[in-house]
Every structure is written in C-alpha cells, then in structure tokens.
Amino acid sequence: MLGLADVAAAAIAVLVGVPILGEDALNPVALLALPLVLLVSKITSLYDRDEHLLRKTTLDEVPALFWMATLYAFLIWLAGDLIVEGHFGRDQAVGVWALLFVGLLLTRTSARCIARALTEEERCVVLGDAMTARWISRRFAAAPALKVRVVGRLPLEPEPPGQDGLPAFGDGDSLAPLLTGEIDRAIIAPRGAVSDELLDVIRRVKSLGVRASVLPRLFEVVGSSVEFDDVDGITLLAMRRSGLTRSSQVLKRALDMTGSALALLLIAPLLAAIAIAIKVDSPGPILFRQRRMGREDQPFEMLKFRTMVNGADAQKRALVHLNQAGGGLFKIEDDARITRVGRMLRRCSLDELPQLVNVLRGQMALVGPRPLVLDEDSLIEGWQRWRLQVPPGMTGLWQVFGSARIPLNEMVKIDYLYCANWSLWLDVKILLRTVPFVVGRRGL
C-alpha cells in the first residue's frame, strides 16, 4: 500500500504538475518515471521501517520524505528531455518537488489509515517481570494510534508464584511453541544487566521469525539522540552534553518568538471575543494568573483565560479527595467550579491561548516541559530537576501522550528525555501532533 501511495503521489507530481506549470506536452515516456519513485523510496529505506515498528506514522518520516522528493525531482530534471517535448524548466522541477512532497504526506497517511482499518491488532507478549508487563500494557492501551494488544508475558527469570497482572505463559523453555503462529511480536524487557542468557533469548526470538522489540533501560538516561561510534568493532554511544547548546537555544527562541508573535496577530479578534464572553458569563477577572516554576528554578506568572468561578483556587484543598490524576497532579473530570464558557474553552484548549504572551516574554516556549505549580514542583528532586534546563512549554510530549493520564513520576522522565533529544524538528513534530490531539479532545 505504501508503494501504491508513492506511485499515486508521483503521478500527481509528474502527470499533473508538469503540464500545469509549463506549456510543454508530456512524452509517453513520462509514464516510465512513475515506477522510479519505488526505487528511490527503497534506497531511502522508506519501505522497511513499518515492519519493525509498533507505531507507524507518516509524521516521523517527514525528513526522509523531504530528501526522497528532492532526489526524485533531481532525477526527473536530469531526464527532462525525455519527460516533456521541449524544455523542462526550473519552475517545473520545483513544482514536481513540491507536489511530490505534499502528495507523499497525504497518500502515505491515507494508506496507513486504510491498512490500520483492514489489519487485525498486533498481538504482543512481554518477556519480563509482571510489573514491567503491566506498565507496557497500560501505556499501549492509552495510545490511540496503536492497534496493539499485550496478551501475556514470559518471565525471563524464576519468580515467586501468585504474581498479579497479565497471565504468564510459562518460561523461556516454552518460547518456541508459544511464539510459533500465536504471537506477532515479542517485547523483551530485561531488568538487570545484559547477560549471555538474555542475548540467547533475543537470538531465539529472531530465529522464529517473530518481530522483536527490546525495552532498553539505558535510553531512559541517554535518550534516542546518540551517535553510534564504531571503534574497530567496538560500538560506543556518544552522548549529548547536558542542556541545549547556545546555537540550539537561539534557534529555539527564534521559533518561539516568530510563532507566538504571528499567532497573537492572527487570533487577536478571537482573543477579544473570548474576553467578552468570559466577562458576560461570570463575575471576576478575564485572565487567571498562577505562579508556575520556570526555567532554572525561576518562578513566573502564567496566564490563562479564567475558566472557573472567581476564587476557585482557594477551594482546591477541600476537593483533594476528588482528585483523579494522582502521582502529585490535580485534575477532576467534572469539576463543579468550571463556568459554562470555561467548559467550552477547555474543550478546545482555547483557555491556553494567553500563554502566547508568556512565550513572547521568554518565560515559556511553544514546546517544552509541563509548567508545574509550585507545590507540585516541590515534589521534583535530584536529576529530575534537569527538566528545567529549557523553558516550560504550552505543549510538549506530556500533552500528546495524554497529560491527564500520566503520573508525575513518569512525566518528569518524559520531560528529561525531551531535553536530551531536543531538535528543531522535534518541536515542529510535537506542534503538529498537538493539533489532532486537541481536535480529538483527548486531553480532557
């Protein structure tokens, strides 16, 4: 289906774009350029990754699709005399590139949606302890983009009977009969150091033709942005230094200033309409101001549209027994303090828009760690405070993962990994993923 999607995108780019952007007629030979996109996609490894991944998304492929479209457009430009009867100009080459890039995003996204609807859910077994298996199963169940079900587990080490959670299907000796034809993927989650026995288990799983994924605990510290350093057969992981470099800080700040300024300019009429609606709906100020912990342990006053009755924050202590978030966070699903206008604003996350002013001031970023109130921040200690090496964000990984469902101890790990893996593309990707999250109202 990805191959068909690529050919369809190439057809749009070549058969539609070239005649529209130029006055030349297409040669019949241009049809031979369509299968060329399959070769270019294979060269850039765009057909191999889905088989190995649980979460298959086109958004993660955008950089690769950019270079794939560039290479394909360059090859079409080189063969210009064969494509058109006349001169294949620069504008036509740029048009083919743009149409192909956009077409690949749309057709590949559609292909994956169709494939996900037609295929059965992927059945997984966790090779590890009961606690890790429960955690993985819970996280998979909370991810709407996954069509995956953890059906059981296999202990890697002897354990006492009566472990709660997913059913245990035996031990390592029952690996072959269990995985043959019954399980689609094995998720290997070792607790201790890597041993020869564990390596043997991984080899056995791969030899059975079952997809294998490993939960590496090391990457909870180093993140995914590491460089593989091959020193004469010795593979080392070169880790980033702690925090953002000066150039990265400048780049991130430039994105924040440009994005927040443009957004405030474009939505100024909407902000005025919301302010009037809040004032008419209930007495009290338009904006809600709350002290949050900012970058490098500097508190700041975060702005939001008021969505609760005036003085609602003073009632928080009396409502602790209704808290549904847990883990140090506070959230009530049907909070009686929320006003009518406030409920509508929260459904669409419009109450967060005044934070664009915080971003413009430099107190926040468009993307970053979750800004915590001071009493929640006081629970963060040790290495977990490194999350404050970057400004808190209006959105972040905590938002697209489901902020209301993630306990505080897991949220700070996510924030730490965001800092360890930061790139401009990561910020753009989180912003793009926030849009369907907000539209789907999955944060409520």
Side-chain angles (χ1 to χ4, degrees):
M1 294 193 71
L2 289 177
L4 292 174
D6 291 345
V7 172
I12 295 172
V14 175
L15 303 183
V16 177
V18 172
I20 291 178
L21 296 173
E23 299 178 356
D24 306 306
L26 281 171
N27 279 328
V29 183
L31 294 174
L32 299 179
L34 302 185
L36 180 63
V37 74
L38 301 176
L39 176 62
V40 177
S41 293
K42 183 63 179 179
I43 291 174
T44 50
S45 301
L46 286 169
Y47 292 140
D48 302 325
R49 60 191 303 273
D50 277 32
E51 179 184 357
H52 309 300
L53 301 179
L54 283 166
R55 186 174 179 273
K56 305 166 178 62
T57 171
T58 306
L59 186 58
D60 291 336
E61 292 180 333
V62 169
L65 292 177
F66 178 89
W67 292 115
M68 185 271 219
T70 303
L71 176 59
Y72 184 78
F74 176 70
L75 294 176
I76 295 296
W77 178 71
L78 289 178
D81 293 339
L82 299 176
I83 300 298
V84 300
E85 296 178 353
H87 176 66
F88 189 77
R90 182 178 59 184
D91 293 343
Q92 289 170 303
V94 173
V96 168
W97 172 84
L99 285 172
L100 179 60
F101 180 58
V102 175
L104 287 170
L105 293 176
L106 297 177
T107 56
R108 280 183 161 250
T109 300
S110 302
R112 286 192 169 98
C113 290
I114 295 172
R116 185 173 181 272
L118 296 179
T119 55
E120 297 181 357
E121 62 183 359
E122 190 169 352
R123 296 164 298 174
C124 299
V125 63
V126 176
L127 276 62
D129 62 276
M131 182 176 66
T132 303
R134 286 197 303 270
W135 176 71
I136 293 175
S137 179
R138 186 174 66 251
R139 292 298 298 271
F140 284 0
L146 290 183
K147 197 172 184 180
V148 177
R149 180 167 61 96
V150 179
V151 298
R153 68 182 183 92
L154 283 172
L156 291 174
E157 301 175 354
E159 58 183 26
Q163 294 290 317
D164 296 331
L166 296 167
F169 291 145
D171 51 29
D173 295 333
S174 60
L175 193 62
L178 173 67
L179 296 181
T180 303
E182 298 181 17
I183 299 298
D184 301 308
R185 183 184 299 269
I187 300 175
I188 304 159
R191 293 201 59 162
V194 176
S195 61
D196 290 340
E197 291 78 10
L198 176 61
L199 296 177
D200 183 59
V201 169
I202 297 175
R203 294 188 186 100
R204 288 167 60 192
V205 170
K206 294 178 64 177
S207 67
L208 294 168
V210 177
R211 302 185 189 100
S213 299
V214 179
L215 180 67
R217 305 306 299 267
L218 174 66
F219 285 90
E220 294 182 10
V221 177
V222 303
S224 60
S225 293
V226 296
E227 296 294 336
F228 288 90
D229 191 4
D230 187 359
V231 184
D232 293 336
I234 301 175
T235 303
L236 301 176
L237 296 180
M239 298 171 55
R240 277 186 177 184
R241 73 176 191 179
S242 179
L244 271 61
T245 63
R246 288 186 179 180
S247 58
S248 296
Q249 292 177 18
V250 171
L251 196 60
K252 183 174 177 61
R253 181 61 185 148
L255 173 67
D256 291 336
M257 291 184 64
T258 304
S260 59
L262 286 176
L264 285 171
L265 185 64
L266 292 174
I267 65 173
L270 174 63
L271 297 178
I274 293 174
I276 295 172
I278 293 173
K279 202 65 179 176
V280 171
D281 182 52
S282 63
I286 294 172
L287 295 177
F288 173 69
R289 305 169 186 267
Q290 189 175 47
R291 297 273 286 178
R292 300 283 181 117
M293 186 57 72
R295 182 183 179 187
E296 297 178 348
D297 295 310
Q298 296 297 318
F300 70 99
E301 197 171 63
M302 192 182 78
L303 304 176
K304 296 178 70 173
F305 279 126
R306 182 175 59 85
T307 59
M308 292 186 173
V309 295
N310 195 23
D313 205 39
Q315 305 174 23
K316 182 177 176 181
R317 190 180 299 274
L319 300 173
V320 170
H321 64 286
L322 299 176
N323 183 23
Q324 295 173 315
L329 300 177
F330 186 86
K331 191 174 184 70
I332 302 174
E333 185 173 350
D334 294 320
D335 200 323
R337 299 173 297 169
I338 302 176
T339 63
R340 291 174 299 175
V341 171
R343 199 171 301 278
M344 290 187 292
L345 294 178
R346 289 193 173 200
R347 283 200 188 109
C348 303
S349 297
L350 295 177
D351 59 316
E352 311 283 350
L353 292 180
Q355 291 168 33
L356 290 168
V357 177
N358 292 118
V359 176
L360 202 58
R361 291 174 177 173
Q363 300 166 326
M364 293 181 65
L366 294 176
V367 181
R370 179 172 181 172
L372 297 177
V373 296
L374 300 187
D375 57 344
E376 291 173 350
D377 179 76
S378 64
L379 303 175
I380 310 299
E381 298 178 345
W383 65 267
Q384 296 176 339
R385 299 204 66 80
W386 293 349
R387 65 191 290 274
L388 296 177
Q389 290 179 334
V390 298
M394 291 183 63
T395 185
L397 289 175
W398 50 271
Q399 172 78 353
V400 297
F401 288 167
S403 58
R405 297 183 294 268
I406 301 179
L408 185 63
N409 62 330
E410 291 188 23
M411 184 178 296
V412 294
K413 293 179 182 178
I414 293 172
D415 290 338
Y416 170 79
L417 290 177
Y418 165 79
C419 298
N421 299 327
W422 184 87
S423 67
L424 184 63
W425 168 239
L426 177 60
D427 274 8
V428 173
K429 187 166 65 172
I430 291 174
L431 288 171
L432 293 175
R433 289 184 62 187
T434 300
V435 175
F437 183 89
V438 171
V439 171
R441 301 177 183 176
R442 297 200 298 268
L444 298 178

